Amino acid sequence: HYTRFAIQPITFISENHLDFLAGNVIKYVCRHDAKNGLEDLHKARRYLDELINRTQLEESQNATEPR
């Protein structure tokens, strides 16, 4: 499902040092139309939601830390 891209998603993820959550968003969005359709988009959204939650938590913790 990935050979149609100019750069493989795993290469993009690795070379850009993306973490597990961001990497899975990329992976599932890239393959959705060639493999599992809507199911892959739901998986991408699940990882994106986790990434949003983690980022919000980190930002709120940083805002409450003394400077």
Side-chain angles (χ1 to χ4, degrees):
H1 355 282
Y2 304 115
T3 57
R4 62 196 168 117
F5 297 111
I7 182 172
Q8 296 280 323
I10 190 70
T11 303
F12 178 84
I13 292 163
S14 178
E15 290 184 7
N16 290 284
H17 309 287
L18 299 180
D19 69 9
F20 179 78
L21 295 175
N24 275 316
V25 171
I26 298 294
K27 175 181 78 171
Y28 286 117
V29 168
C30 285
R31 79 178 200 183
H32 83 278
D33 60 338
K35 190 169 181 190
N36 296 322
L38 194 56
E39 178 185 346
D40 278 345
L41 292 177
H42 284 293
K43 288 178 182 180
R45 182 169 61 188
R46 182 170 50 224
Y47 285 107
L48 182 57
D49 287 341
E50 284 297 320
L51 183 57
I52 290 168
N53 291 336
R54 184 182 70 193
T55 303
Q56 287 175 329
L57 179 62
E58 289 170 354
E59 287 180 358
S60 68
Q61 289 174 341
N62 290 338
T64 59
E65 289 180 3
R67 294 178 183 215

